[in-house]
Amino acid sequence: MANDKEIHDRLTRVEEIIEQLDADECDLDEGTRLHEEGQELLAEVRQILDNGRGEVVELE
């Protein structure tokens, strides 16, 4: 998982959203809202990485 708190929190929420969508725990409106939230979070992660604010570590 990400070593950077900003990235970690966003990716954790994206994983929660994916689990909810996979489990069919919501109706179409809620599913659409969750999808949009997930897309926004991923865009924020990309922006953090593009701006060089995220910490990249090498795992062995």
Side-chain angles (χ1 to χ4, degrees):
M1 187 47 78
N3 193 34
D4 185 285
K5 176 114 172 92
E6 279 187 295
I7 295 172
H8 178 268
D9 292 346
R10 285 168 176 82
L11 292 181
T12 297
R13 178 61 184 140
V14 169
E15 289 176 358
E16 292 170 355
I17 290 170
I18 291 169
E19 289 174 5
Q20 282 183 277
L21 294 173
D22 281 347
D24 291 330
E25 296 177 355
C26 53
D27 61 21
L28 180 59
D29 290 335
E30 178 71 5
T32 300
R33 188 192 66 74
L34 288 170
H35 177 266
E36 290 172 357
E37 179 185 352
Q39 291 297 313
E40 290 173 12
L41 290 167
L42 292 173
E44 290 173 9
V45 169
R46 282 187 211 98
Q47 185 176 20
I48 290 168
L49 293 172
D50 287 345
N51 292 334
R53 293 191 339 246
E55 180 181 346
V56 178
V57 294
E58 184 175 330
L59 300 176
E60 296 177 13

